[in-house]
Amino acid sequence: MKNFRSAIVLCGGKGTRLGALGKKIPKAMIKIQGKEIIWYIIKILKRNRFNQIILPLGYKGNMIRKLAKKYKSLFNKVDLMNTGENSNIGKRISLVRDKIKSDNFLLLNGDAIFNFDIDKIFKKHQQRKKDITFIAAENTYPYGTIGTRKGKVIDFNRNLNYEALKVRNKNSYTAFNYTGMSVIKTETLKKLKNKYKKASNFETTLFPLFINAFNAEFVKLTGFWHSVDNMKDINIINDKKILKKKYISLKKIKQKLLK
């Protein structure tokens, strides 16, 4: 439908890599600089003209429902849908698929904070009539790196930013960092019906189908993106001493969203 722009925010999984914190709350409710991840996500989506936001609830979904009551105005036009405590991602998407109101929709994980021009990427996807547009971004490599040039060691770094990987034995192949965000043509997803419903890994099952049978492309975002996968990712963005640039960038984003 022309008057709608839909987004599905995957927020039903268990934060198994978050230890004790993941046992208490869903990942989307982790607080980063005093606000829940889902707070940032919904704010940014609405600012990019998404007027239908679907949250397929699963693990501790009742806590997200309670949060919706706390932020009544924020969760206006947000659809909270129960999709099962232990459902895999493929099943969750199949259960909400028929609720999508727009011709194309944004699919994203509920464990990343971002701030870039999604509106521009969404429009480009529509204009080029793609079936799927993967969104890639820079990421922070958390380990030490030894920099070389022409076989000579030139530096040592930690928390190095990278956007792509050099893959062994594949000289002409470049692997870009996927953000967990993609714009998908709704009709194409529906054509695939339930081919991904029982997949143990939704992405490695569905995305090759899109790439091999349909029209796929990728775009690199320009702006802020930070994924929260483990406790180290939380500490990086909550502690200015660890990674000052990211901490300050997010602080500025939060201040704008509070206005």
Side-chain angles (χ1 to χ4, degrees), residues 107-150:
L107 178 67
L108 66 156
N109 293 329
D111 61 0
I113 299 173
F114 51 89
N115 185 36
F116 60 93
D117 195 345
I118 311 173
D119 181 55
K120 183 178 179 181
I121 291 174
F122 199 91
K123 286 177 179 176
K124 183 180 178 183
H125 167 88
Q126 291 175 308
Q127 291 167 358
R128 293 171 67 86
K129 296 181 180 179
K130 298 294 180 178
D131 292 288
I132 189 167
T133 298
F134 296 102
I135 302 175
E138 251 185 22
N139 202 359
T140 303
Y141 186 70
Y143 307 106
T145 58
I146 302 164
T148 66
R149 186 177 290 127
K150 296 181 179 180

Side-chain angles (χ1 to χ4, degrees), residues 21 89 107 115 130 169 188 198 219 221 253:
L21 182 60
I89 294 174
L107 178 67
N115 185 36
K130 298 294 180 178
N169 299 324
T188 306
K198 296 182 180 180
V219 61
L221 68 82
I253 291 168

Side-chain angles (χ1 to χ4, degrees), residues 14-48:
K14 299 176 181 179
T16 54
R17 285 185 285 271
L18 291 168
L21 182 60
K23 292 179 181 179
K24 292 179 181 178
I25 59 174
K27 283 176 79 174
M29 283 185 61
I30 291 171
K31 285 190 176 182
I32 304 296
Q33 294 194 19
K35 287 294 184 181
E36 297 83 0
I37 294 174
I38 196 68
W39 180 89
Y40 289 95
I41 291 174
I42 294 173
K43 283 272 188 179
I44 291 294
L45 290 177
K46 287 190 172 184
R47 289 194 173 208
N48 281 269

Side-chain angles (χ1 to χ4, degrees), residues 85-234:
E85 182 85 8
N86 298 305
S87 299
N88 60 45
I89 294 174
K91 184 177 179 181
R92 294 188 198 285
I93 292 175
S94 70
L95 289 172
V96 303
R97 180 184 58 210
D98 292 336
K99 301 294 183 180
I100 302 169
K101 294 181 179 180
S102 59
D103 294 334
N104 296 274
F105 70 97
L106 178 70
L107 178 67
L108 66 156
N109 293 329
D111 61 0
I113 299 173
F114 51 89
N115 185 36
F116 60 93
D117 195 345
I118 311 173
D119 181 55
K120 183 178 179 181
I121 291 174
F122 199 91
K123 286 177 179 176
K124 183 180 178 183
H125 167 88
Q126 291 175 308
Q127 291 167 358
R128 293 171 67 86
K129 296 181 180 179
K130 298 294 180 178
D131 292 288
I132 189 167
T133 298
F134 296 102
I135 302 175
E138 251 185 22
N139 202 359
T140 303
Y141 186 70
Y143 307 106
T145 58
I146 302 164
T148 66
R149 186 177 290 127
K150 296 181 179 180
K152 183 181 177 180
V153 176
I154 60 170
D155 63 22
F156 176 87
N157 284 293
R158 290 193 71 86
N159 296 321
L160 193 70
N161 289 334
Y162 71 95
E163 67 174 21
L165 301 172
K166 182 179 180 181
V167 182
R168 185 180 295 167
N169 299 324
K170 290 188 177 183
N171 294 330
S172 60
Y173 176 90
T174 303
F176 285 88
N177 182 49
Y178 176 53
T179 60
M181 305 173 72
S182 52
V183 185
I184 299 173
K185 188 174 181 180
T186 308
E187 183 184 346
T188 306
L189 180 72
K190 289 180 178 179
K191 282 180 182 178
L192 294 172
K193 296 183 179 178
N194 292 322
K195 289 184 179 180
Y196 52 86
K197 186 177 180 179
K198 296 182 180 180
S200 58
N201 188 303
F202 164 76
E203 292 178 343
T204 57
T205 300
L206 178 66
F207 291 161
L209 292 173
F210 268 97
I211 293 166
N212 296 327
F214 301 103
N215 199 349
E217 74 170 2
F218 87 101
V219 61
K220 291 186 286 185
L221 68 82
T222 301
F224 182 91
W225 177 81
H226 182 78
S227 178
V228 177
D229 191 53
N230 51 50
M231 291 303 299
K232 193 165 188 174
D233 294 326
I234 297 172

